[in-house]
Amino acid sequence: MSAHEPLIEVSHLTHVYHPGTPHEVRALHGVCLTVHRAEFLALVGGNGSGKSTLAKHLNALLLPTEGRVVVDGLDTRDPQALWEIRRRVGMVFQNPDNQIVATVVEEDVAFGPENVGLPPEEIARRVEEALQAVGMLDYRRREPHLLSGGQKQRVAIAGVLAMRPQCIVLDEATTMLDPEGRQEVLETAHRLREREGIAVVHITHNMEEAAQADRVVVLHEGRVALEGTPQEVFRDVRRLRSLRLDLPEVAELSACLRRRGVRLEGQPVAVEDLVAQLLRQSGVVV
Amino acid sequence: MSDPVVVCEALTHVYLRGTPFESVALQGVDLVLRRGECVGIVGPTGSGKSTLVQHFNGLLRPTEGRVWVDGVELRAGRGILREVRRKVGLVFQYPEHQLFEATVFDDVAFGPRNLGLEPEEIQERVRESLQWVGLDPDRFGPRSPFSLSGGEMRRVAIAGVLAMRPQVLVLDEPTAGLDPEGRREILGRIRDLHQRMGLTVVLISHSMDEVARMCQRVVVLHQGRVFLDAPVREAFGQAERLRSIGLDVPHVTDVLLRLRAAGLPVRCDRITVQEACEEIVRVLQGGRKWSSSGV
């Protein structure tokens, strides 16, 4: 399977909550978006920009008011396809307490695979791999309620991984983790993308995390406001602030250096890129 | 140096002592917070940060060791907890989940009403607290808290704590889950409270960038002990030590450390974007002949 091949196609998606009532809210207006196989896509935007509404359309938790969403050839409006779509696209939400159902960690991770009737050996293998991938294998027999928030979240992520999805949607799933936990989760997601070709849609308010994606999509007031590589998106601080966003620290430093006359190619957003460029300029051989 | 406002001496806290679930959350923590400081408390998940700050206003009692607030020792059964809870205001994670009144005004007024204050005094405190967090009392007071944005709701929750007129404001991850704009707003307000109102601020944060921008001093907890307690510049210069326990340094410090490791004589105790920018420009423009004393 090749990258750049579309996995999820969102066409002219409009979503209206409580249509025809005084509480009617138009959360998305004609959004077009493609999620490619094996790509790491960051979805960013201010509070109320429609990110979560869009995310919930990716595995048919919400259905379009207008437009359509097609996952691996399956239309989310087709009730027959629901189960297949949810196997392909797994969601991890922000609050881990709403996602853990079992009383022992490994049973929680096994919940999905058991539901689809996999053989016990296969379930055991998947549970072990998934817990290993999120750094929670040592906790396999613990009770989830005694874990910290970060640890619970990693268990929830393992639960999705155990279903071997084609796409994982992380709906602010790193928000409550410590830096090490965040990095572990992101590295896990990047690794799954590289090795298994799993696409990742990472919804985050953390601009540093978005800067690590292949592509960044910015939503604002229910529309796609910006789209491109991190370098392209994290360029214009005034534009980003008008969208309730900000530059990642490294991009801010790059912008500051450019203003002070330091010549940089593009506006580096990654520490490695900026450091390499500065070392070349200074004459230090890299 | 200003006088101590919170003092922990050999503070140990054990959860569920004597059960199979016994867990030692804090071990022999010595800590002094001085009046008017802004201190960042950082540490990996489970390092004891939340347990520690819950001792600052008597929500938890030490298993061993002692805690003083504003010169008064916190002990069971002495009727001082009420007083201490007014002096130390704790803003928990996601405090907006604790909003419950029909209007913003009533929610902020909840604490002062419990103190039995006169209506005029309550009115004044509510107005003042809402102004401190940047919400116009006339506009926001009559509204339902649940009609507000996430960042606004959080500021209402902080106003509710400020209405108790605390001397120490402890905030546990105050920017978690907010968008960058909401984060800028909250941090700006906290900075004002610290700088203009002279409040002692304790900021628990996972974001080293945030701590670098806000605080003068950082206390690093690891496995229930104080791992490092130093001025922020000094602390973030010790990248390897911090990384050894799974913490990071601010991104701009990371850039400087890497430049230095590759042989550029930049000082690494520059922790904001502006400072780091100046430092890099200085070195690139021939400052290399200067001797560098920084770590």
Side-chain angles (χ1 to χ4, degrees):
Chain A
M1 96 183 52
S2 86
H4 306 302
E5 194 187 313
L7 173 64
I8 304 176
E9 299 212 68
V10 176
S11 325
H12 307 287
L13 171 62
T14 290
H15 191 85
V16 181
Y17 287 105
H18 314 297
T21 76
H23 304 290
E24 179 171 308
V25 177
R26 190 164 284 256
L28 295 173
H29 306 259
V31 169
C32 295
L33 176 73
T34 302
V35 179
H36 301 97
R37 288 184 196 277
E39 88 166 321
F40 200 109
L41 176 70
L43 186 56
V44 301
N47 291 117
S49 60
K51 302 184 299 297
S52 284
T53 302
L54 176 56
K56 291 190 179 90
H57 281 83
L58 302 182
N59 75 344
L61 286 176
L62 286 176
L63 297 178
T65 308
E66 290 162 32
R68 60 183 208 146
V69 177
V70 177
V71 177
D72 198 21
L74 303 165
D75 191 316
T76 61
R77 290 170 306 182
D78 174 7
Q80 307 281 308
L82 192 63
W83 192 239
E84 282 304 313
I85 287 169
R86 293 202 179 144
R87 275 178 63 167
R88 284 168 169 77
V89 182
M91 298 269 291
V92 180
F93 297 99
Q94 183 176 359
N95 189 343
D97 291 327
N98 301 341
Q99 299 179 73
I100 293 187
V101 292
T103 54
V104 177
V105 165
E106 62 185 358
E107 287 173 11
D108 192 80
V109 179
F111 183 79
E114 275 169 2
N115 268 358
V116 295
L118 292 173
E121 322 73 72
E122 173 69 7
I123 293 174
R125 202 161 59 85
R126 287 190 181 195
V127 167
E128 180 161 339
E129 279 177 13
L131 284 171
Q132 181 84 48
V134 300
M136 289 296 291
L137 195 55
D138 292 345
Y139 296 82
R140 61 192 303 168
R141 303 202 205 286
R142 296 285 185 94
E143 294 175 48
H145 73 272
L146 293 174
L147 302 178
S148 71
Q151 291 168 331
K152 284 180 198 165
Q153 192 63 318
R154 281 143 70 189
V155 172
I157 291 166
V160 170
L161 293 181
M163 295 299 285
R164 301 272 166 84
Q166 293 180 1
C167 177
I168 300 178
V169 180
L170 303 173
D171 189 356
E172 293 198 50
T174 57
T175 296
M176 292 305 297
L177 304 188
D178 63 20
E180 191 176 30
R182 278 175 182 261
Q183 204 50 42
E184 268 177 37
V185 168
L186 286 174
E187 276 169 11
T188 303
H190 280 286
R191 197 165 55 239
L192 290 164
R193 187 269 303 262
E194 277 154 29
R195 293 197 189 153
E196 321 269 340
I198 296 176
V200 178
V201 177
H202 181 38
I203 298 179
T204 182
H205 285 317
N206 185 307
M207 299 297 111
E208 269 71 28
E209 291 181 0
Q212 295 176 34
D214 301 324
R215 200 156 62 95
V216 181
V217 171
V218 179
L219 282 188
H220 185 64
E221 294 175 351
R223 294 187 166 86
V224 175
L226 277 174
E227 184 179 350
T229 64
Q231 281 226 12
E232 289 162 353
V233 167
F234 294 121
R235 189 179 287 273
D236 182 350
V237 67
R238 252 171 292 169
R239 172 90 170 114
L240 284 166
R241 289 207 169 160
S242 74
L243 303 172
R244 294 185 65 88
L245 299 179
D246 217 336
L247 290 184
E249 293 256 318
V250 175
E252 206 181 324
L253 179 56
S254 299
C256 180
L257 289 166
R258 278 165 52 129
R259 279 198 302 276
R260 294 292 313 270
V262 176
R263 279 192 307 277
L264 296 171
E265 280 168 44
Q267 186 161 298
V269 294
V271 171
E272 295 77 8
D273 184 13
L274 177 59
V275 168
Q277 289 204 36
L278 290 173
L279 290 178
R280 271 201 300 275
Q281 293 214 6
S282 71
V284 174
V285 181
V286 205
Chain B
M1 212 182 252
S2 59
D3 60 320
V5 58
V6 175
V7 178
C8 299
E9 189 186 275
L11 172 60
T12 291
H13 193 90
V14 183
Y15 285 110
L16 302 169
R17 178 168 241 188
T19 76
F21 303 107
E22 177 170 308
S23 99
V24 180
L26 292 175
Q27 275 189 81
V29 170
D30 293 314
L31 185 68
V32 177
L33 302 179
R34 295 185 179 279
R35 214 173 287 282
E37 272 191 307
C38 181
V39 180
I41 297 186
V42 304
T45 304
S47 59
K49 305 184 295 288
S50 297
T51 302
L52 176 62
V53 300
Q54 288 180 65
H55 285 83
F56 293 175
N57 74 347
L59 280 181
L60 288 176
R61 309 289 175 79
T63 306
E64 288 161 33
R66 304 165 77 180
V67 178
W68 289 265
V69 173
D70 202 21
V72 179
E73 185 175 359
L74 271 62
R75 286 204 213 137
R78 294 202 26 208
I80 53 161
L81 283 181
R82 203 182 160 99
E83 190 59 29
V84 163
R85 290 200 179 133
R86 282 164 60 175
K87 286 181 178 161
V88 181
L90 219 59
V91 179
F92 290 101
Q93 288 183 17
Y94 295 93
E96 61 275 18
H97 294 170
Q98 295 162 42
L99 298 175
F100 64 99
E101 291 277 8
T103 68
V104 166
F105 182 96
D106 286 337
D107 221 293
V108 179
F110 181 78
R113 278 188 184 135
N114 272 357
L115 294 179
L117 299 176
E118 296 299 318
E120 302 76 45
E121 167 78 8
I122 292 171
Q123 171 93 8
E124 192 198 315
R125 285 196 182 196
V126 171
R127 295 186 65 84
E128 188 183 70
S129 304
L130 284 171
Q131 277 160 356
W132 279 337
V133 298
L135 298 175
D136 176 0
D138 295 320
R139 207 179 121 218
F140 284 90
R143 289 178 62 180
S144 161
F146 306 103
S147 68
L148 307 180
S149 75
E152 287 163 350
M153 282 167 74
R154 191 160 301 177
R155 284 187 281 159
V156 169
I158 294 173
V161 172
L162 292 174
M164 302 299 278
R165 301 235 172 114
Q167 298 174 10
V168 181
L169 182 64
V170 181
L171 302 116
D172 192 349
E173 295 273 2
T175 62
L178 297 184
D179 64 20
E181 176 67 22
R183 185 181 150 197
R184 271 198 300 278
E185 281 164 7
I186 290 268
L187 293 178
R189 290 297 153 183
I190 295 169
R191 191 177 287 120
D192 273 1
L193 287 164
H194 173 240
Q195 292 177 350
R196 298 209 193 134
M197 313 302 298
L199 228 61
T200 307
V201 171
V202 177
L203 182 68
I204 297 183
S205 180
H206 281 320
S207 163
M208 301 301 153
D209 294 337
E210 211 167 278
V211 170
R213 285 174 184 216
M214 296 287 294
C215 304
Q216 293 99 45
R217 174 181 162 206
V218 59
V219 174
V220 181
L221 291 183
H222 179 52
Q223 296 177 347
R225 297 174 193 273
V226 176
F227 181 78
L228 187 64
D229 180 353
V232 278
R233 284 164 204 287
E234 208 178 288
F236 290 135
Q238 305 186 32
E240 287 317 307
R241 274 195 82 194
L242 294 175
R243 286 179 180 146
S244 74
I245 59 165
L247 295 181
D248 256 320
V249 293
H251 289 85
V252 297
T253 312
D254 190 23
V255 171
L256 292 173
L257 287 165
R258 288 180 197 227
L259 291 174
R260 192 176 172 83
L264 270 197
V266 290
R267 291 179 56 120
C268 295
D269 57 352
R270 300 295 189 258
I271 56 177
T272 66
V273 167
Q274 200 61 40
E275 290 173 0
C277 180
E278 298 303 323
E279 179 64 9
I280 292 168
V281 168
R282 180 182 74 77
V283 170
L284 285 181
Q285 288 173 349
R288 259 171 289 172
K289 59 183 181 284
W290 301 1
S291 76
S292 136
S293 56
V295 182

